[in-house]
Amino acid sequence: MSQTPAAHAAAILDRLGVTRSADGLASFTPIDGSELGRAPLTPVADLSGVLDRAGEAFRAWRRVPAPRRGELVRLLGEELRAAKDDLAALVTLECGKIASEGLGEVQEMIDVCDFAVGLSRQLYGLTLPSERPGHHMRETWQPLGPVGVITAFNFPVAVWAWNAALAFVCGDPVIWKPSEKTPLTALAVQAVFERAAARFGDAPAHLSQVVIGERDLGEALAADPRAPLISATGSTRMGKAVAATVAGRLGRSLLELGGNNAMIVTDSADLDMAVRAIAFSAVGTCGQRCTSLRRLIVHESVADTLVARLTKAYETLPIGDPREAGVLVGPLIDDDAARNFAAALDRARTEGGEVLTGGGRLDRAGVYVRPAIVRMPAQTPVVMHETFAPILYVLTYRDFDAAVELQNAVPQGLSSCVFTDRLREAETFLSAWGSDCGIANVNIGPSGAEIGGAFGGEKEPGGGRESGSDAWKAYMRRQTQTVNFSTDLPLAQGVKFDV
């Protein structure tokens, strides 16, 4: 690219009408380590005013009929379509995704807006039979209140949309605290939202707010009871801290945390399909997805063949500037990620592992590494730990039930998959005694989820569910209502209390 990342980012932000700051939080591109720009910081002391304004927006927005709220989200989807190329390019610049992944992330935002528009007419409750004559019972779902959304660098815009599109149609304002590594994409999305709000005409002010800052700002947001729900995406360490803080005030938390995802490849598997699925799942986004493939559990009869094919594929992976055509592996987010990558490989060696390919850092500006394949003698401690980098640990198995147990024997339970041509193995994997993960796939990799299904995992991933299905219920409060339309006042359970 002839244009520097900073000039490229400045042109995009100017087109979107984003105001930057001369002395705010600096954003550095992993492409070459240069500064992209600065975002205005939100002092922690100012957060109280942000929450007060969100409360005012809530009191107005909850009175708007849900289908009308859906109209705002429809307009947001239109504005995202118009800004798709610019937003995708900014995602690439700020977090290092290759161009097609940046475009895919913005498409995910558009898709969840479409989902939420339909949802705005389907916030269904229940009618219930009453044991008391002349009484009617029902359950309804009511708006909850301001939602705090804390997002991670690796999906700098899509996770906001998963939460915000649903929150808006459910009647809730959103306060977004993006990763301190990707503040510019958040400001760009806010500018796009404001265009949609202007077209909508009567949306309350401060329905969507962005706060920029470090860890202390996120901690303050999590601690404030004026945000009844905190949706947090990031590391398990961060999620445990958020969960404890929110639980301490009896609030709600929706957590999407780490993963240590496995693929079981059986002796009946289509190895051509498996190689393609492994390559994307393990090295896509440079191994920086929560659903990235980290553990490959292969039947011993096909292990050598599969590993040889994978090694050959890895050694031809195009690594470089993610803006360039043909590049499949961009950079890690920063030097800390590169150090963790190297440390994990060193630890794997000390635990008996053999690095079959990759592992080095490229001698160029930016944080570029060669994705690694490591053959391990067992599921050692380093294998059970999630390293947010492109390391694929290979283990072998003989008995299918033992393979499933091996997959489940880690603290994380986000995503999982099996490649098999046997119906019995596939259905066992999907059974109650099969995969213990929130996501379980057959003959596709563990990453690349669609928005229609609720996304999330069990154990250390936190148990939260975002995006499709009935994930909307997290953003609302359930109310059981009873109406007496008779002239009598019978009590439930036959209780008599006459005065």
Side-chain angles (χ1 to χ4, degrees), residues 208-261:
S208 173
Q209 299 179 82
V210 176
V211 294
I212 304 292
E214 303 280 354
R215 178 176 173 176
D216 57 346
L217 187 64
E219 290 172 341
L221 179 59
D224 201 300
R226 287 172 289 182
L229 172 64
I230 299 294
S231 175
T233 301
S235 69
T236 300
R237 176 203 56 77
M238 179 275 286
K240 288 180 177 179
V242 168
T245 297
V246 177
R249 59 176 176 84
L250 299 181
R252 297 189 199 174
S253 57
L254 194 166
L255 303 176
E256 296 289 357
L257 311 175
N260 191 359
N261 315 294

Side-chain angles (χ1 to χ4, degrees), residues 96-268:
K97 287 186 175 180
I98 63 172
S100 67
E101 288 192 82
L103 288 165
E105 179 163 357
V106 181
Q107 185 61 48
E108 200 164 338
M109 302 175 77
I110 294 166
D111 292 345
V112 80
C113 284
D114 288 348
F115 174 87
V117 172
L119 177 65
S120 69
R121 293 180 181 272
Q122 300 177 74
L123 301 174
Y124 297 136
L126 297 171
T127 57
L128 307 169
S130 174
E131 67 183 69
R132 290 169 285 184
H135 285 60
H136 174 82
M137 290 181 66
R138 62 192 179 195
E139 283 187 356
T140 60
W141 294 89
Q142 310 285 15
L144 180 64
V147 176
V149 178
I150 301 172
T151 58
F153 76 85
N154 60 327
F155 278 84
V157 294
V159 173
W160 172 84
W162 290 358
N163 286 275
L166 270 61
F168 292 148
V169 300
C170 289
D172 305 329
V174 170
I175 301 166
W176 182 13
K177 194 277 180 190
S179 168
E180 59 271 20
K181 298 175 184 179
T182 54
L184 300 180
T185 50
L187 295 179
V189 169
Q190 178 66 14
V192 172
F193 171 82
E194 288 169 359
R195 292 181 182 182
R199 290 176 60 193
F200 184 77
D202 59 350
H206 312 299
L207 186 60
S208 173
Q209 299 179 82
V210 176
V211 294
I212 304 292
E214 303 280 354
R215 178 176 173 176
D216 57 346
L217 187 64
E219 290 172 341
L221 179 59
D224 201 300
R226 287 172 289 182
L229 172 64
I230 299 294
S231 175
T233 301
S235 69
T236 300
R237 176 203 56 77
M238 179 275 286
K240 288 180 177 179
V242 168
T245 297
V246 177
R249 59 176 176 84
L250 299 181
R252 297 189 199 174
S253 57
L254 194 166
L255 303 176
E256 296 289 357
L257 311 175
N260 191 359
N261 315 294
M263 176 191 293
I264 298 172
V265 179
T266 73
D267 57 334
S268 71

Side-chain angles (χ1 to χ4, degrees), residues 260 294-295 340-353 374-387 391 393 395 410 412:
N260 191 359
R294 314 246 178 244
R295 297 175 294 138
N340 291 336
F341 174 72
L345 291 175
D346 287 343
R347 187 176 177 190
R349 292 185 184 97
T350 66
E351 294 176 5
V374 185
R375 195 148 187 178
M376 297 297 295
Q379 190 153 267
T380 65
V382 73
V383 181
M384 298 182 73
H385 172 78
E386 180 194 33
T387 300
I391 301 174
Y393 299 111
L395 305 161
V410 295
Q412 310 88 356

Side-chain angles (χ1 to χ4, degrees), residues 128 130 132-137 482-490:
L128 307 169
S130 174
R132 290 169 285 184
H135 285 60
H136 174 82
M137 290 181 66
T482 304
V483 176
N484 179 3
F485 57 92
S486 74
T487 57
D488 297 319
L489 194 64

